[in-house]
Amino acid sequence: LGGNILGKLGLSAIILAFIWFINFAFENHWINESGRIVIGLLIGFTTISSCLYLASRKMRIIPESLIGTGISILYLSVYGAYYLYDLITVKEAFAAFTVLSVGTSLLAGKTNLQVLYIFSLFGSILAPVLLSSGENSYRFLFIYLTLINLVFYYISQANSWRVSPYLIFIANCIIFSGWADKNLTASSPM
């Protein structure tokens, strides 16, 4: 077995032990709801910054996958703050998702990591879906999708990624189809 596999197994064991301890603390009410969100945000930002440090030291195997893990933790923390604990409003959650998605895509463009770019794509496309209240605010949705597509277009110009443009196209088609299925006949531009 290579050292890479053993390193990932050891890292997985540490992560599982940490998750077990945090779950134990939550069940025993040692940490309240806002503390849980703060812990998630701290873990996410710490993971991302330590991985960027390791990547700057030319360690390319582990940092790439862990940056995505840190970003996922940040998305889950924001979503938990809004949906599970009602600590932030829908506008604040949407702003946080947007900033996180654009920041992740800029980081992906700078580090030339297509996997990270795909993470930011899914986060930015899922933000209006996860935070939707069911109302037909198509102007906002299409302006948001246009801005997100422009950011992704700008970043993709500097990188020769082959998978991302197809994923962006498919995601836009799915979002439009979901909206059109329920709201196309009720919407008018006037």
Side-chain angles (χ1 to χ4, degrees):
L1 293 175
N4 188 16
I5 293 173
L6 293 176
K8 288 182 179 178
L9 287 174
L11 183 64
S12 299
I14 291 171
I15 290 171
L16 288 174
F18 181 75
I19 289 170
W20 175 82
F21 175 74
I22 291 294
N23 186 32
F24 184 75
F26 290 170
E27 287 176 355
N28 290 315
H29 303 289
W30 296 347
I31 303 170
N32 64 6
E33 290 84 9
S34 59
R36 296 174 190 183
I37 300 303
V38 169
I39 288 172
L41 293 173
L42 287 174
I43 290 171
F45 283 121
T46 303
T47 302
I48 293 168
S49 41
S50 62
C51 290
L52 289 174
Y53 171 75
L54 290 174
S56 71
R57 309 258 320 179
K58 305 296 183 213
M59 297 178 183
R60 298 287 297 171
I61 295 173
I62 291 181
E64 292 177 1
S65 58
L66 283 180
I67 288 174
T69 303
I71 290 170
S72 298
I73 292 170
L74 292 177
Y75 275 114
L76 289 172
S77 297
V78 171
Y79 185 70
Y82 165 69
Y83 188 74
L84 296 177
Y85 304 126
D86 201 29
L87 296 174
I88 58 176
T89 65
V90 68
K91 291 178 183 178
E92 293 168 338
F94 189 77
F97 276 145
T98 303
V99 167
L100 187 57
S101 297
V102 171
T104 303
S105 62
L106 292 174
L107 180 63
K110 183 178 180 186
T111 58
N112 197 20
L113 294 174
Q114 184 174 358
V115 173
L116 195 56
Y117 186 71
I118 292 170
F119 264 99
S120 66
L121 167 69
F122 285 128
S124 63
I125 294 297
L126 285 176
V129 174
L130 293 175
L131 301 176
S132 175
S133 61
E135 64 185 39
N136 184 15
S137 55
Y138 65 93
R139 288 182 184 102
F140 176 76
L141 175 66
F142 293 134
I143 290 171
Y144 171 76
L145 287 177
T146 301
L147 292 175
I148 290 297
N149 283 317
L150 288 173
V151 169
F152 285 117
Y153 175 75
Y154 171 75
I155 292 170
S156 66
Q157 291 302 307
N159 301 298
S160 59
W161 295 328
R162 298 188 185 270
V163 176
S164 300
Y166 296 111
L167 291 176
I168 291 171
F169 177 72
I170 291 169
N172 279 296
C173 288
I174 291 171
I175 292 288
F176 179 76
S177 298
W179 170 81
D181 184 44
K182 295 179 181 176
N183 301 311
L184 186 61
T185 57
S187 302
S188 83
M190 301 299 169

